[in-house]
Amino acid sequence: MKLPTKIAAGLLALVPAGAIAQDCPVDGDPSELAAEAVVKVYECIEAKMAEGYASNGDPVGADFRSWQVTSTRPALAGPHGERFLQTFANDIAAEQYLKFAEEGFVMPAGSVLAKESFKVKKGNAVPGPLFIMTKLADGGAPEAGDWLYAALLPSGKEMKIKQSFCAGCHMNWEDQDSLAYPLEEVRLSGQ
């Protein structure tokens, strides 16, 4: 039985956002995907991620997609749980971050980086957390290089994380103010 369009639209309005799953299939081993295949998967999943991160009213979750993207496409990087990552930098962070400097600098206080993520499970791309780094004023978190770490779940709800866990890894890049940049082959150039 086919429902009239108005009734069908009304019933769909009752379904919670995100309850209608959109498949974003991934063929083959995620670590061996060609750049074009990664872009295709990202194009399929990016709106769903953006909507989810923004859905709970977090200001970073709502605004980060208007910031400067720092790479040409997401890339698979191991430190965040075998997730594809795409990093965005706010206006305060963008100029310094896009230099991809390896030593001798400190990011300005107020710099915020948001790293969206997705993972491949059973041949389908699924949204992961939005990882957030905020540079605090000098002395704001000396044990973490003055960075505050946070994350949002794909639903936009705050993810419980331990500052020491994130800082413990990021401090491996202490000479570059705890920044682990996108993979070299996807970094924006000419900035």
mmCIF file of all heavy atoms in Angstrom, residues 70-104:
data_model
loop_
_atom_site.group_PDB
_atom_site.id
_atom_site.type_symbol
_atom_site.label_atom_id
_atom_site.label_comp_id
_atom_site.label_asym_id
_atom_site.label_seq_id
_atom_site.Cartn_x
_atom_site.Cartn_y
_atom_site.Cartn_z
ATOM 1 N N THR A 70 42.189 21.511 6.836
ATOM 2 C CA THR A 70 43.656 21.494 6.775
ATOM 3 C C THR A 70 44.231 20.433 5.839
ATOM 4 O O THR A 70 45.448 20.325 5.729
ATOM 5 C CB THR A 70 44.245 21.290 8.180
ATOM 6 O OG1 THR A 70 43.887 19.997 8.659
ATOM 7 C CG2 THR A 70 43.750 22.363 9.140
ATOM 8 N N SER A 71 43.356 19.665 5.199
ATOM 9 C CA SER A 71 43.853 18.635 4.290
ATOM 10 C C SER A 71 42.911 18.501 3.099
ATOM 11 O O SER A 71 41.779 18.978 3.121
ATOM 12 C CB SER A 71 44.006 17.295 5.013
ATOM 13 O OG SER A 71 42.781 16.895 5.590
ATOM 14 N N THR A 72 43.383 17.847 2.083
ATOM 15 C CA THR A 72 42.623 17.689 0.859
ATOM 16 C C THR A 72 41.535 16.632 0.980
ATOM 17 O O THR A 72 40.587 16.636 0.200
ATOM 18 C CB THR A 72 43.555 17.310 -0.303
ATOM 19 O OG1 THR A 72 44.250 16.095 0.040
ATOM 20 C CG2 THR A 72 44.566 18.415 -0.566
ATOM 21 N N ARG A 73 41.684 15.742 1.942
ATOM 22 C CA ARG A 73 40.709 14.677 2.182
ATOM 23 C C ARG A 73 41.054 14.014 3.507
ATOM 24 O O ARG A 73 42.157 14.206 4.030
ATOM 25 C CB ARG A 73 40.734 13.646 1.061
ATOM 26 C CG ARG A 73 42.080 12.905 0.980
ATOM 27 C CD ARG A 73 42.033 11.719 0.040
ATOM 28 N NE ARG A 73 43.345 11.152 -0.168
ATOM 29 C CZ ARG A 73 43.941 10.281 0.661
ATOM 30 N NH1 ARG A 73 43.330 9.889 1.754
ATOM 31 N NH2 ARG A 73 45.144 9.813 0.388
ATOM 32 N N PRO A 74 40.134 13.237 4.067
ATOM 33 C CA PRO A 74 40.475 12.490 5.278
ATOM 34 C C PRO A 74 41.546 11.446 4.967
ATOM 35 O O PRO A 74 41.678 10.995 3.826
ATOM 36 C CB PRO A 74 39.161 11.794 5.660
ATOM 37 C CG PRO A 74 38.100 12.522 4.932
ATOM 38 C CD PRO A 74 38.742 13.051 3.677
ATOM 39 N N ALA A 75 42.294 11.084 5.990
ATOM 40 C CA ALA A 75 43.319 10.058 5.837
ATOM 41 C C ALA A 75 43.260 9.120 7.035
ATOM 42 O O ALA A 75 42.867 9.513 8.130
ATOM 43 C CB ALA A 75 44.701 10.689 5.722
ATOM 44 N N LEU A 76 43.654 7.902 6.806
ATOM 45 C CA LEU A 76 43.668 6.879 7.838
ATOM 46 C C LEU A 76 44.926 7.039 8.669
ATOM 47 O O LEU A 76 46.041 6.976 8.155
ATOM 48 C CB LEU A 76 43.632 5.496 7.191
ATOM 49 C CG LEU A 76 43.460 4.298 8.092
ATOM 50 C CD1 LEU A 76 42.142 4.371 8.853
ATOM 51 C CD2 LEU A 76 43.509 3.016 7.274
ATOM 52 N N ALA A 77 44.731 7.301 9.960
ATOM 53 C CA ALA A 77 45.866 7.481 10.868
ATOM 54 C C ALA A 77 45.649 6.606 12.100
ATOM 55 O O ALA A 77 44.568 6.622 12.684
ATOM 56 C CB ALA A 77 46.001 8.939 11.266
ATOM 57 N N GLY A 78 46.665 5.863 12.471
ATOM 58 C CA GLY A 78 46.556 4.898 13.557
ATOM 59 C C GLY A 78 46.266 5.423 14.945
ATOM 60 O O GLY A 78 45.500 4.812 15.681
ATOM 61 N N PRO A 79 46.844 6.544 15.374
ATOM 62 C CA PRO A 79 46.701 6.950 16.767
ATOM 63 C C PRO A 79 45.267 7.178 17.250
ATOM 64 O O PRO A 79 45.012 7.137 18.424
ATOM 65 C CB PRO A 79 47.506 8.251 16.860
ATOM 66 C CG PRO A 79 48.496 8.153 15.762
ATOM 67 C CD PRO A 79 47.807 7.384 14.669
ATOM 68 N N HIS A 80 44.334 7.399 16.368
ATOM 69 C CA HIS A 80 42.943 7.609 16.776
ATOM 70 C C HIS A 80 42.092 6.379 16.468
ATOM 71 O O HIS A 80 40.949 6.491 16.025
ATOM 72 C CB HIS A 80 42.362 8.859 16.110
ATOM 73 C CG HIS A 80 42.783 10.123 16.779
ATOM 74 N ND1 HIS A 80 42.043 10.728 17.762
ATOM 75 C CD2 HIS A 80 43.892 10.886 16.629
ATOM 76 C CE1 HIS A 80 42.665 11.807 18.191
ATOM 77 N NE2 HIS A 80 43.792 11.934 17.511
ATOM 78 N N GLY A 81 42.639 5.212 16.704
ATOM 79 C CA GLY A 81 41.870 3.983 16.594
ATOM 80 C C GLY A 81 41.533 3.560 15.180
ATOM 81 O O GLY A 81 40.426 3.122 14.920
ATOM 82 N N GLU A 82 42.483 3.678 14.264
ATOM 83 C CA GLU A 82 42.283 3.269 12.870
ATOM 84 C C GLU A 82 41.080 3.956 12.241
ATOM 85 O O GLU A 82 40.274 3.350 11.544
ATOM 86 C CB GLU A 82 42.167 1.749 12.766
ATOM 87 C CG GLU A 82 43.425 1.007 13.180
ATOM 88 C CD GLU A 82 44.653 1.397 12.359
ATOM 89 O OE1 GLU A 82 44.546 1.535 11.128
ATOM 90 O OE2 GLU A 82 45.722 1.583 12.967
ATOM 91 N N ARG A 83 40.974 5.247 12.502
ATOM 92 C CA ARG A 83 39.895 6.058 11.930
ATOM 93 C C ARG A 83 40.455 6.970 10.840
ATOM 94 O O ARG A 83 41.597 7.405 10.908
ATOM 95 C CB ARG A 83 39.256 6.922 13.019
ATOM 96 C CG ARG A 83 38.471 6.136 14.029
ATOM 97 C CD ARG A 83 37.863 7.083 15.070
ATOM 98 N NE ARG A 83 36.955 6.383 15.942
ATOM 99 C CZ ARG A 83 37.305 5.855 17.122
ATOM 100 N NH1 ARG A 83 38.540 5.959 17.554
ATOM 101 N NH2 ARG A 83 36.404 5.230 17.856
ATOM 102 N N PHE A 84 39.605 7.288 9.883
ATOM 103 C CA PHE A 84 39.924 8.317 8.907
ATOM 104 C C PHE A 84 39.662 9.651 9.594
ATOM 105 O O PHE A 84 38.646 9.820 10.267
ATOM 106 C CB PHE A 84 39.039 8.189 7.666
ATOM 107 C CG PHE A 84 39.408 7.040 6.783
ATOM 108 C CD1 PHE A 84 38.893 5.777 7.008
ATOM 109 C CD2 PHE A 84 40.288 7.225 5.724
ATOM 110 C CE1 PHE A 84 39.235 4.709 6.189
ATOM 111 C CE2 PHE A 84 40.637 6.168 4.898
ATOM 112 C CZ PHE A 84 40.114 4.902 5.132
ATOM 113 N N LEU A 85 40.586 10.593 9.439
ATOM 114 C CA LEU A 85 40.516 11.870 10.146
ATOM 115 C C LEU A 85 40.562 13.038 9.177
ATOM 116 O O LEU A 85 41.292 13.000 8.183
ATOM 117 C CB LEU A 85 41.697 11.988 11.120
ATOM 118 C CG LEU A 85 41.874 10.838 12.119
ATOM 119 C CD1 LEU A 85 43.203 10.979 12.857
ATOM 120 C CD2 LEU A 85 40.716 10.797 13.096
ATOM 121 N N GLN A 86 39.799 14.074 9.509
ATOM 122 C CA GLN A 86 39.816 15.336 8.761
ATOM 123 C C GLN A 86 39.832 16.448 9.811
ATOM 124 O O GLN A 86 38.934 16.530 10.644
ATOM 125 C CB GLN A 86 38.586 15.444 7.869
ATOM 126 C CG GLN A 86 38.487 16.734 7.093
ATOM 127 C CD GLN A 86 39.266 16.704 5.799
ATOM 128 O OE1 GLN A 86 40.432 16.344 5.774
ATOM 129 N NE2 GLN A 86 38.629 17.077 4.711
ATOM 130 N N THR A 87 40.869 17.297 9.778
ATOM 131 C CA THR A 87 41.052 18.330 10.799
ATOM 132 C C THR A 87 40.650 19.703 10.275
ATOM 133 O O THR A 87 40.968 20.067 9.141
ATOM 134 C CB THR A 87 42.526 18.370 11.260
ATOM 135 O OG1 THR A 87 42.891 17.070 11.746
ATOM 136 C CG2 THR A 87 42.738 19.390 12.362
ATOM 137 N N PHE A 88 39.982 20.458 11.150
ATOM 138 C CA PHE A 88 39.574 21.836 10.880
ATOM 139 C C PHE A 88 40.217 22.733 11.938
ATOM 140 O O PHE A 88 40.312 22.337 13.101
ATOM 141 C CB PHE A 88 38.052 21.975 10.958
ATOM 142 C CG PHE A 88 37.325 21.178 9.912
ATOM 143 C CD1 PHE A 88 37.114 19.814 10.068
ATOM 144 C CD2 PHE A 88 36.846 21.791 8.767
ATOM 145 C CE1 PHE A 88 36.446 19.075 9.108
ATOM 146 C CE2 PHE A 88 36.174 21.058 7.791
ATOM 147 C CZ PHE A 88 35.970 19.695 7.967
ATOM 148 N N ALA A 89 40.659 23.943 11.543
ATOM 149 C CA ALA A 89 41.307 24.880 12.458
ATOM 150 C C ALA A 89 40.507 26.175 12.502
ATOM 151 O O ALA A 89 40.140 26.717 11.447
ATOM 152 C CB ALA A 89 42.739 25.172 11.992
ATOM 153 N N ASN A 90 40.250 26.686 13.729
ATOM 154 C CA ASN A 90 39.532 27.960 13.829
ATOM 155 C C ASN A 90 40.433 29.101 13.349
ATOM 156 O O ASN A 90 41.616 28.894 13.032
ATOM 157 C CB ASN A 90 38.973 28.189 15.238
ATOM 158 C CG ASN A 90 40.012 28.551 16.280
ATOM 159 O OD1 ASN A 90 41.226 28.546 16.042
ATOM 160 N ND2 ASN A 90 39.540 28.863 17.475
ATOM 161 N N ASP A 91 39.884 30.308 13.278
ATOM 162 C CA ASP A 91 40.630 31.457 12.747
ATOM 163 C C ASP A 91 41.915 31.727 13.520
ATOM 164 O O ASP A 91 42.917 32.135 12.937
ATOM 165 C CB ASP A 91 39.759 32.716 12.750
ATOM 166 C CG ASP A 91 38.671 32.678 11.693
ATOM 167 O OD1 ASP A 91 38.779 31.880 10.748
ATOM 168 O OD2 ASP A 91 37.704 33.451 11.821
ATOM 169 N N ILE A 92 41.893 31.520 14.817
ATOM 170 C CA ILE A 92 43.081 31.780 15.635
ATOM 171 C C ILE A 92 44.179 30.775 15.311
ATOM 172 O O ILE A 92 45.359 31.118 15.258
ATOM 173 C CB ILE A 92 42.734 31.750 17.140
ATOM 174 C CG1 ILE A 92 41.729 32.862 17.462
ATOM 175 C CG2 ILE A 92 43.978 31.865 18.007
ATOM 176 C CD1 ILE A 92 41.109 32.765 18.851
ATOM 177 N N ALA A 93 43.808 29.538 15.058
ATOM 178 C CA ALA A 93 44.779 28.462 14.841
ATOM 179 C C ALA A 93 45.277 28.348 13.409
ATOM 180 O O ALA A 93 46.412 27.927 13.172
ATOM 181 C CB ALA A 93 44.159 27.126 15.254
ATOM 182 N N ALA A 94 44.437 28.690 12.452
ATOM 183 C CA ALA A 94 44.690 28.331 11.056
ATOM 184 C C ALA A 94 46.041 28.777 10.511
ATOM 185 O O ALA A 94 46.761 27.974 9.917
ATOM 186 C CB ALA A 94 43.567 28.859 10.174
ATOM 187 N N GLU A 95 46.413 30.026 10.698
ATOM 188 C CA GLU A 95 47.654 30.517 10.084
ATOM 189 C C GLU A 95 48.871 29.715 10.542
ATOM 190 O O GLU A 95 49.664 29.252 9.724
ATOM 191 C CB GLU A 95 47.858 32.001 10.396
ATOM 192 C CG GLU A 95 49.110 32.557 9.736
ATOM 193 C CD GLU A 95 49.317 34.038 10.018
ATOM 194 O OE1 GLU A 95 48.431 34.695 10.605
ATOM 195 O OE2 GLU A 95 50.395 34.526 9.642
ATOM 196 N N GLN A 96 49.018 29.531 11.847
ATOM 197 C CA GLN A 96 50.180 28.787 12.357
ATOM 198 C C GLN A 96 50.069 27.308 12.028
ATOM 199 O O GLN A 96 51.025 26.692 11.601
ATOM 200 C CB GLN A 96 50.336 28.984 13.870
ATOM 201 C CG GLN A 96 51.498 28.206 14.483
ATOM 202 C CD GLN A 96 52.851 28.571 13.897
ATOM 203 O OE1 GLN A 96 53.216 29.732 13.829
ATOM 204 N NE2 GLN A 96 53.601 27.574 13.456
ATOM 205 N N TYR A 97 48.901 26.728 12.218
ATOM 206 C CA TYR A 97 48.739 25.290 12.013
ATOM 207 C C TYR A 97 49.087 24.890 10.581
ATOM 208 O O TYR A 97 49.772 23.893 10.355
ATOM 209 C CB TYR A 97 47.302 24.866 12.340
ATOM 210 C CG TYR A 97 47.098 23.372 12.311
ATOM 211 C CD1 TYR A 97 47.366 22.597 13.436
ATOM 212 C CD2 TYR A 97 46.643 22.729 11.164
ATOM 213 C CE1 TYR A 97 47.179 21.221 13.410
ATOM 214 C CE2 TYR A 97 46.464 21.360 11.133
ATOM 215 C CZ TYR A 97 46.728 20.612 12.251
ATOM 216 O OH TYR A 97 46.565 19.238 12.234
ATOM 217 N N LEU A 98 48.624 25.677 9.614
ATOM 218 C CA LEU A 98 48.833 25.332 8.210
ATOM 219 C C LEU A 98 50.280 25.461 7.746
ATOM 220 O O LEU A 98 50.603 25.082 6.622
ATOM 221 C CB LEU A 98 47.908 26.154 7.319
ATOM 222 C CG LEU A 98 46.437 25.732 7.424
ATOM 223 C CD1 LEU A 98 45.543 26.749 6.746
ATOM 224 C CD2 LEU A 98 46.228 24.348 6.842
ATOM 225 N N LYS A 99 51.155 25.950 8.605
ATOM 226 C CA LYS A 99 52.594 25.948 8.293
ATOM 227 C C LYS A 99 53.174 24.549 8.494
ATOM 228 O O LYS A 99 54.250 24.241 7.994
ATOM 229 C CB LYS A 99 53.334 26.942 9.187
ATOM 230 C CG LYS A 99 52.969 28.381 8.901
ATOM 231 C CD LYS A 99 53.664 29.322 9.875
ATOM 232 C CE LYS A 99 53.245 30.762 9.624
ATOM 233 N NZ LYS A 99 53.832 31.681 10.623
ATOM 234 N N PHE A 100 52.472 23.708 9.284
ATOM 235 C CA PHE A 100 52.922 22.358 9.603
ATOM 236 C C PHE A 100 54.368 22.368 10.109
ATOM 237 O O PHE A 100 55.184 21.528 9.751
ATOM 238 C CB PHE A 100 52.749 21.409 8.412
ATOM 239 C CG PHE A 100 51.330 21.353 7.907
ATOM 240 C CD1 PHE A 100 50.992 21.836 6.652
ATOM 241 C CD2 PHE A 100 50.319 20.828 8.695
ATOM 242 C CE1 PHE A 100 49.685 21.796 6.188
ATOM 243 C CE2 PHE A 100 49.004 20.783 8.240
ATOM 244 C CZ PHE A 100 48.688 21.263 6.990
ATOM 245 N N ALA A 101 54.668 23.374 10.930
ATOM 246 C CA ALA A 101 56.014 23.552 11.480
ATOM 247 C C ALA A 101 56.353 22.398 12.424
ATOM 248 O O ALA A 101 55.481 21.861 13.103
ATOM 249 C CB ALA A 101 56.106 24.880 12.222
ATOM 250 N N GLU A 102 57.631 22.060 12.454
ATOM 251 C CA GLU A 102 58.061 20.933 13.261
ATOM 252 C C GLU A 102 58.771 21.312 14.549
ATOM 253 O O GLU A 102 59.052 20.444 15.359
ATOM 254 C CB GLU A 102 58.922 20.002 12.409
ATOM 255 C CG GLU A 102 58.103 19.376 11.296
ATOM 256 C CD GLU A 102 58.877 18.359 10.485
ATOM 257 O OE1 GLU A 102 59.997 17.985 10.877
ATOM 258 O OE2 GLU A 102 58.347 17.939 9.447
ATOM 259 N N GLU A 103 59.075 22.595 14.741
ATOM 260 C CA GLU A 103 59.678 22.994 16.009
ATOM 261 C C GLU A 103 59.724 24.520 16.127
ATOM 262 O O GLU A 103 59.563 25.246 15.150
ATOM 263 C CB GLU A 103 61.086 22.431 16.168
ATOM 264 C CG GLU A 103 62.068 22.861 15.095
ATOM 265 C CD GLU A 103 63.410 22.197 15.267
ATOM 266 O OE1 GLU A 103 64.247 22.741 16.016
ATOM 267 O OE2 GLU A 103 63.630 21.143 14.633
ATOM 268 N N GLY A 104 59.909 24.979 17.379
ATOM 269 C CA GLY A 104 60.155 26.393 17.632
ATOM 270 C C GLY A 104 58.945 27.293 17.610
ATOM 271 O O GLY A 104 59.063 28.470 17.261
#
